[in-house]
């Protein structure tokens, strides 16, 4: 199985901050990675796919980069509605695996 | 607009079988190139992929997470535009919110549409 190590597991930030979350894969996955945002009591919402493609309707302050084993999700200017949990997902090979999550708090 | 909706019992006894159904509206489940999957999330924890069903021509195929040790079985009912999950011999560790979701080649292969989720508690 491909292990996805996500860091940090939590972070505190202010509105307007630039936030970066990292996912490292235990082996190369090309660009087969997605990023999700999850708010309490809600289903995950896809933000990014193929490592860097912004999902339609998602604000441009979200961006993704990376390939192979190291990936980042960046929020260029944190907004109040961005306080949530974030997960990466590798879909390069079965079983699909998620990172452990990052909780972004005030 | 595609919608997915999970349904099933919210309480299951230990050692019994958990059974959930996902009803798809807004598209046919037999449309080519879509994978229909299940993901779960224990309370306060992260996400775990359970398995996928996909249609290759005239046949349906399944892939499962080996961590479930062959307890998971998925199926498709094209007449009702539904797919289902059965998880046998459940324990308290199977208590989770269960989501159904879709992924496919035209949308980058990661899950794009999700159901709202259903909490299933395993308890006697």
């Amino acid at each position: 199985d491909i292990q996805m190590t996500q860091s940090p597991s939590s972070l505190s930030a202010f509105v307007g901050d630039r936030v970066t979350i990292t996912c490292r894969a235990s082996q190369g996955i090309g660009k087969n990675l997605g990023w999700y945002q999850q708010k309490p009591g809600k289903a995950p919402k896809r933000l990014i796919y193929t490592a860097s493609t912004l999902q339609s309707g998602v604000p441009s302050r979200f961006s993704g980069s990376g390939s192979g084993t190291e990936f980042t999700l960046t929020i260029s200017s944190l907004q109040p509605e961005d306080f949530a949990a974030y997960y990466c997902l590798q879909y390069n090979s079965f079983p699909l695996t998620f990172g452990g999550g990052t909780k972004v708090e005030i | 607009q595609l919608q997915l909706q999970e349904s099933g019992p919210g309480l299951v006894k230990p050692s019994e079988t958990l059974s959930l159904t996902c009803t798809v509206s807004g598209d046919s489940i037999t449309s080519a190139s879509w994978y229909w999957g299940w993901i779960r999330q224990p309370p306060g924890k992260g996400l775990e992929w359970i398995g996928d069903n996909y249609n290759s021509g005239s046949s349906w195929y399944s892939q499962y997470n080996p961590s479930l040790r062959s307890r998971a079985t998925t199926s498709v009912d094209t007449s009702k535009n539904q797919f289902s999950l059965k998880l046998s011999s459940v324990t308290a560790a199977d208590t989770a919110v269960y989501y159904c979701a879709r992924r496919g080649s035209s949308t980058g292969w990661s899950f794009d549409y999700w159901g709202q989720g259903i909490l299933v508690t395993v308890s006697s």
Side-chain angles (χ1 to χ4, degrees), chain A residues 1 32-36 38 41-46 48-50 55 87 89 91 94-101, chain B residues 35 39 41 45-49 52 54 63-67 99 103 106-112 114-117:
Chain A
D1 298 6
N32 295 312
L33 182 115
W35 288 99
Y36 292 84
Q38 187 180 33
K42 299 293 187 182
K45 171 188 173 183
R46 191 170 71 172
I48 300 283
Y49 58 96
T50 55
Q55 173 74 32
Y87 294 91
L89 166 68
Y91 47 91
F94 290 112
L96 278 63
T97 45
F98 289 89
Chain B
Y35 284 45
I39 303 101
Q41 184 172 37
K45 296 188 178 181
L47 298 159
E48 179 183 35
W49 173 76
D52 282 346
Y54 54 97
Q63 289 276 1
Y64 301 108
N65 195 327
S67 69
Y99 296 100
R103 66 190 188 103
S106 60
T107 62
W109 281 117
S110 55
F111 295 106
D112 56 352
W114 296 62
Q116 65 185 27

Side-chain angles (χ1 to χ4, degrees), chain B residues 78-102:
Chain B
T78 57
S79 67
K80 295 181 180 179
N81 220 37
Q82 295 175 335
F83 60 105
S84 298
L85 169 70
K86 291 187 186 300
L87 186 65
S88 63
S89 305
V90 297
T91 69
D94 295 309
T95 293
V97 175
Y98 286 76
Y99 296 100
C100 59
R102 182 193 80 167

Side-chain angles (χ1 to χ4, degrees), chain A:
Chain A
D1 298 6
I2 297 175
Q3 308 302 318
M4 301 302 297
T5 303
Q6 190 171 336
S7 61
S9 57
S10 66
L11 67 89
S12 296
F14 295 94
V15 171
D17 280 355
R18 182 182 182 87
V19 169
T20 299
I21 299 168
T22 298
C23 258
R24 288 188 175 88
S26 60
Q27 58 187 271
I29 59 171
K31 301 193 76 173
N32 295 312
L33 182 115
W35 288 99
Y36 292 84
Q37 177 193 67
Q38 187 180 33
K39 296 183 177 178
K42 299 293 187 182
K45 171 188 173 183
R46 191 170 71 172
L47 302 174
I48 300 283
Y49 58 96
T50 55
S52 59
T53 303
L54 191 67
Q55 173 74 32
S56 175
V58 173
S60 59
R61 62 181 180 273
F62 291 93
S63 64
S65 64
S67 66
T69 60
E70 189 144 341
F71 302 85
T72 59
L73 172 71
T74 299
I75 309 172
S76 61
S77 177
L78 199 66
Q79 297 302 302
E81 60 268 31
D82 300 337
F83 291 95
Y86 293 84
Y87 294 91
C88 61
L89 166 68
Q90 75 78 21
Y91 47 91
N92 185 72
S93 61
F94 290 112
L96 278 63
T97 45
F98 289 89
T102 296
K103 190 172 183 181
V104 176
E105 301 173 303
I106 300 174

Side-chain angles (χ1 to χ4, degrees), chain B residues 8-72:
Chain B
L11 182 63
V12 181
K13 290 182 168 56
S15 80
E16 295 190 345
T17 296
L18 176 161
S19 295
L20 297 174
T21 296
C22 182
T23 300
V24 179
S25 57
D27 193 9
S28 170
I29 198 171
T30 59
S31 296
S33 302
W34 296 125
Y35 284 45
W36 304 95
W38 292 95
I39 303 101
R40 70 179 182 177
Q41 184 172 37
K45 296 188 178 181
L47 298 159
E48 179 183 35
W49 173 76
I50 298 171
D52 282 346
N53 282 102
Y54 54 97
N55 185 7
S56 179
S58 59
S59 299
W60 285 88
Y61 297 88
S62 301
Q63 289 276 1
Y64 301 108
N65 195 327
S67 69
L68 294 169
R69 300 178 184 175
S70 303
R71 295 190 296 126

